[in-house]
Amino acid sequence: MSARLHAFYRIRASAATIEARAEGIANEQSVETPLAAIRDSFIMNEIAGKVEEIADEGNGWFRVRIGLAAATVGKDAGQLLNMLFGNSSLYEDVILEDAAFPPGFAALFGGPGHGLAGFRARLDAHGRALTASALKPQGLPVKQLAQLTYKLALGGIDVIKDDHGLADQAFSPFAERVKACAEAARKAVAATGKPVFYVPNCFGHFGEIEEQIALARAEGLSAVMIAPMITGVAALQAIRQRHQDFAIIAHPAMIGAGRISPYLFAKLFRLLGADAFVFPNPGGRFAYSSASCLKIAAALRGPCSGLLPGLPVPAGGMTLERVPELLDFYGRDVMLLIGGALLLAPPGKLAEETAAFVRAVRDHCYG
Amino acid sequence: MSARLHAFYRIRASAATIEARAEGIANEQSVETPLAAIRDSFIMNEIAGKVEEIADEGNGWFRVRIGLAAATVGKDAGQLLNMLFGNSSLYEDVILEDAAFPPGFAALFGGPGHGLAGFRARLDAHGRALTASALKPQGLPVKQLAQLTYKLALGGIDVIKDDHGLADQAFSPFAERVKACAEAARKAVAATGKPVFYVPNCFGHFGEIEEQIALARAEGLSAVMIAPMITGVAALQAIRQRHQDFAIIAHPAMIGAGRISPYLFAKLFRLLGADAFVFPNPGGRFAYSSASCLKIAAALRGPCSGLLPGLPVPAGGMTLERVPELLDFYGRDVMLLIGGALLLAPPGKLAEETAAFVRAVRDHCYG
């Protein structure tokens, strides 16, 4: 039999109906045709989805493993998502929990081009966690965003990213913003001697993203952020394949907590080429549990078909006070992102406050 | 104050916490920064999201209206989705239910270029509902997909679309498939004199979609299908803007039943330029209610800022027996899509079975 992906679903059903539900989803996620209408044994044997295992989890939920023909994916990231959950996302009682890939499948997409080690090498950041912040709020003019960039970089931070809400608005147009912030970052590097990444947020369709990367490249930048569930996952894949010198940070906007497990997104985004993934940390503004965040970190950093390890970026309502706790939790292979809490510092104190964050990360005793 | 979008959320909270939750979401979907860190009155007044109304729905759910600055959207469809639900999609207890646009906003995107009337005119289909079917299952070679196309067209159907699972797989590569199916459709038209749309499924990043449309255009085709939540909504917007002669059918893959209301997707996809939208019909394989489907149909066909009415395409497990009931339910401004149930006909009888479907729609007494 040809190679199969394995998709793992949680399905709410009764013991009497679960087999039919599982068969229904195997059909929905493959041939989407009544089996009686399939007259071709190749399609029945090689293409139709197969229910491989059903386990009763109790409380009316079942865990179901379905084998999907890898041949149905072709080489497109969007089609991968489509085969895993396209139509079944329409069922309110089905959750896509995990996916496992057959040998050779990961090589189709390639995974991170730089990953954790790439960030460390390019930022000369060894033996410690990395630090990051975000340019915000929306509405600030370009000049002030550039000043923020300068002060954060002066404080010694590793990565400064556009907030994911910065796109091409009239109050801070993309081209102007990227030019000014890149220049501010260069100016700070000239003063401190410490490398820093300024990371613009890319958006729109892939034709627009290509133009955005060209602007970033012209400014000497070498990393971008995208939200793959807004741009389409194929844009992530295409950046990975066409701009191999760029590191990619994936943002979780629109991944939606409820119906696809967050750690599967971490796994998929890494597979498709994300070097780093921003996700909500426990105790911040979002409700992810510690267990869920450890699974996300493992999906990014753990062994996976020979892919480079990626960089977990816990974020969302972090504060300086929590740095020691977070580093004990994640260890050193992590990038801590503190956005709004740094910006609470009075404008004249932002570089100092940033330096305090940087010191707390540098001086931590990693277990 | 500058123009505001209005986003409507359902939020699970207690009476004691709902105000803070609502304020939190207004912040999350706009400045994403502690208000104490915002020192600029323009941003506080014009850019930060505002809670406009909170209504207790009972059972621990509240309906909240939040005003978001239209200026934060710029002109990008992905950014529109990002501002409506990007980060808040990470909350399990928040549902995006509706959105309302300020005057002039719809003109930024344009809505359907052809819509219902365009389908009727190009297919010479007046005074009755339209009929559609899908090419499937995955795994069929190009030659057999072309035969299906020929027989469906011979039976007098209006629209034949690729199944949404057909992409660029080795068993039926896109370029070869589109050429063969377009040729089969032309051959049938030569025999019957009746126009038919063969509608290829587009996928991948927008650069790839541009190539797919070029192939379709070379074959004389003038409609394509995409799943905007897989390709990214910006791809839908870009097809609308760059290929104005093409009609666009939007597919619901990955819209996810639970967290964004389906009828908001219908409204958004129409806003962005979809001429038709496929959605699960009550009583088929998916769980949408009759009320939900009527709201979807209204979002597509009803008055909306001067946009052209779009074409509702209920689908998903339909059968010939249900045609009269469906036409009584939706009226004549609809396209019925029967896929797998037609394919249950023995290969030699497919054109006849299709003709029976076409007759049932033509001869119905519309109320």
Side-chain angles (χ1 to χ4, degrees):
Chain A
M1 203 179 71
S2 58
R4 295 257 165 186
L5 304 178
H6 303 284
F8 299 83
Y9 303 94
R10 294 183 66 232
I11 304 174
R12 197 174 60 220
S14 67
T17 59
I18 183 62
E19 281 192 35
R21 283 304 307 278
E23 293 293 345
I25 288 165
N27 191 298
E28 198 66 54
Q29 292 309 121
S30 58
V31 290
E32 208 195 325
T33 301
L35 293 184
I38 298 178
R39 296 169 184 91
D40 180 317
S41 65
F42 166 77
I43 296 177
M44 281 299 277
N45 297 330
E46 303 290 337
I47 300 298
K50 304 276 184 232
V51 177
E52 296 174 333
E53 200 178 346
I54 298 178
D56 191 341
E57 291 196 329
N59 295 317
W61 285 91
F62 293 81
R63 188 176 157 92
V64 173
R65 191 179 82 198
I66 291 177
L68 298 169
T72 61
V73 171
K75 294 176 183 177
D76 172 42
Q79 179 65 5
L80 172 59
L81 200 60
N82 194 22
M83 296 321 297
L84 289 172
F85 206 48
N87 271 8
S88 291
S89 78
L90 302 170
Y91 292 118
E92 291 193 8
D93 50 4
V94 178
I95 293 167
L96 174 63
E97 193 157 85
D98 202 354
F101 311 117
F105 192 80
L108 277 181
F109 296 100
H114 308 275
L116 173 61
F119 274 90
R120 288 202 181 286
R122 295 217 235 163
L123 290 162
D124 195 17
H126 301 283
R128 61 163 173 86
L130 289 86
T131 55
S133 193
L135 299 181
K136 52 172 131 180
Q138 287 189 323
L140 280 185
V142 165
K143 201 169 177 178
Q144 287 187 48
L145 293 170
Q147 279 169 356
L148 286 182
T149 306
Y150 181 68
K151 288 175 186 168
L152 289 164
L154 215 56
I157 209 156
D158 295 313
V159 168
I160 301 162
K161 67 167 194 64
D162 279 350
D163 198 29
H164 81 286
L166 298 186
D168 192 34
Q169 296 100 341
F171 44 71
S172 61
F174 182 88
E176 210 181 299
R177 179 173 83 240
V178 168
K179 203 170 157 55
C181 294
E183 191 186 332
R186 286 195 299 270
K187 201 173 113 193
V189 171
T192 63
K194 191 207 158 299
V196 66
F197 271 176
Y198 161 60
V199 184
N201 178 42
C202 291
F203 57 89
H205 64 70
F206 187 65
E208 292 167 308
I209 291 173
E210 292 262 61
E211 290 171 17
Q212 292 154 17
I213 292 179
L215 283 169
R217 191 187 295 285
E219 292 298 325
L221 304 178
S222 57
V224 288
M225 182 169 83
I226 67 164
M229 291 311 288
I230 287 180
T231 61
V233 286
L236 167 57
Q237 177 188 20
I239 296 173
R240 167 68 175 94
Q241 291 175 352
R242 296 207 197 174
H243 301 281
Q244 303 207 351
D245 53 331
F246 268 67
I248 307 168
I249 300 179
H251 190 280
M254 281 296 297
I255 72 173
R259 308 280 310 290
I260 300 184
S261 80
Y263 86 93
L264 178 56
F265 275 115
K267 193 186 228 182
L268 288 176
F269 291 170
R270 178 185 179 192
L271 173 75
L272 301 178
D275 296 284
F277 176 51
V278 179
F279 59 92
N281 198 61
R285 300 196 306 272
F286 299 90
Y288 284 17
S289 67
S290 298
S292 180
C293 289
L294 277 186
K295 282 182 87 166
I296 291 172
L300 293 166
R301 302 187 296 201
C304 174
S305 305
L307 300 183
L308 290 185
L311 181 58
V313 190
M318 297 296 95
T319 57
L320 258 66
E321 293 67 38
R322 294 192 59 199
V323 165
E325 165 212 338
L326 292 168
L327 294 176
D328 286 343
F329 185 75
Y330 289 105
R332 75 180 71 185
D333 289 339
V334 71
M335 179 154 72
L336 300 187
L337 193 160
I338 302 186
L342 280 184
L343 301 179
L344 281 170
K349 301 276 183 189
L350 179 56
E352 269 176 58
E353 188 77 358
T354 305
F357 171 31
V358 168
R359 265 196 315 277
V361 169
R362 188 192 62 203
D363 297 345
H364 186 76
C365 293
Y366 295 89
Chain B
M1 201 179 70
S2 58
R4 296 257 163 186
L5 304 176
H6 303 284
F8 298 83
Y9 303 94
R10 293 183 65 231
I11 303 175
R12 196 174 61 221
S14 67
T17 59
I18 183 62
E19 282 193 33
R21 283 304 308 279
E23 294 293 345
I25 287 163
N27 191 298
E28 198 67 55
Q29 292 310 121
S30 58
V31 290
E32 208 196 325
T33 300
L35 293 184
I38 298 178
R39 296 169 186 91
D40 181 319
S41 65
F42 166 76
I43 296 176
M44 280 299 279
N45 297 331
E46 302 290 336
I47 302 297
K50 306 274 184 234
V51 177
E52 297 174 331
E53 198 177 347
I54 298 178
D56 190 340
E57 291 196 329
N59 295 318
W61 285 91
F62 292 81
R63 188 175 156 95
V64 173
R65 189 179 84 199
I66 291 177
L68 298 169
T72 62
V73 172
K75 294 176 182 177
D76 173 41
Q79 180 63 5
L80 171 58
L81 199 60
N82 194 22
M83 296 320 297
L84 289 173
F85 207 49
N87 271 7
S88 291
S89 78
L90 302 170
Y91 292 119
E92 291 193 8
D93 50 6
V94 178
I95 293 167
L96 174 62
E97 193 157 85
D98 202 356
F101 311 118
F105 191 81
L108 277 181
F109 296 101
H114 307 276
L116 173 61
F119 274 91
R120 287 203 180 289
R122 296 217 233 163
L123 290 162
D124 195 16
H126 300 282
R128 60 161 173 88
L130 289 86
T131 55
S133 192
L135 298 181
K136 50 172 136 184
Q138 287 188 323
L140 280 185
V142 165
K143 200 169 176 179
Q144 287 186 48
L145 292 170
Q147 278 169 357
L148 286 182
T149 306
Y150 181 68
K151 288 176 186 168
L152 289 164
L154 215 55
I157 208 155
D158 295 312
V159 169
I160 302 163
K161 68 168 194 63
D162 279 350
D163 197 28
H164 81 287
L166 297 187
D168 191 36
Q169 295 101 341
F171 45 71
S172 60
F174 181 88
E176 210 180 300
R177 178 173 83 240
V178 168
K179 204 172 157 54
C181 294
E183 191 186 331
R186 285 194 300 270
K187 202 174 112 195
V189 171
T192 63
K194 191 208 159 297
V196 66
F197 271 176
Y198 161 60
V199 183
N201 177 42
C202 290
F203 57 89
H205 64 71
F206 187 64
E208 293 168 307
I209 291 172
E210 291 262 61
E211 290 171 18
Q212 291 154 18
I213 291 179
L215 283 168
R217 190 186 296 285
E219 292 299 324
L221 303 178
S222 57
V224 289
M225 181 169 81
I226 67 163
M229 291 310 288
I230 288 181
T231 61
V233 285
L236 168 57
Q237 178 188 18
I239 296 172
R240 167 68 175 93
Q241 292 175 353
R242 295 206 196 175
H243 300 281
Q244 303 206 353
D245 52 331
F246 268 68
I248 307 169
I249 300 179
H251 189 279
M254 281 297 296
I255 72 172
R259 307 281 309 290
I260 300 183
S261 79
Y263 87 94
L264 178 56
F265 275 114
K267 194 186 228 182
L268 288 175
F269 291 170
R270 178 186 178 192
L271 174 75
L272 301 178
D275 296 284
F277 176 51
V278 179
F279 59 94
N281 198 60
R285 301 196 305 274
F286 300 90
Y288 284 17
S289 66
S290 298
S292 181
C293 289
L294 277 187
K295 282 182 87 165
I296 291 172
L300 293 167
R301 301 185 295 201
C304 174
S305 304
L307 300 182
L308 290 185
L311 181 58
V313 189
M318 297 297 95
T319 56
L320 259 66
E321 292 67 36
R322 294 192 59 200
V323 165
E325 165 212 338
L326 292 168
L327 295 177
D328 286 341
F329 185 75
Y330 289 104
R332 74 179 73 184
D333 288 340
V334 72
M335 178 155 72
L336 301 187
L337 193 157
I338 302 185
L342 279 185
L343 302 179
L344 282 169
K349 301 275 183 189
L350 178 57
E352 269 178 57
E353 188 77 357
T354 305
F357 171 32
V358 168
R359 263 197 316 275
V361 169
R362 190 192 61 203
D363 297 346
H364 186 76
C365 295
Y366 295 89

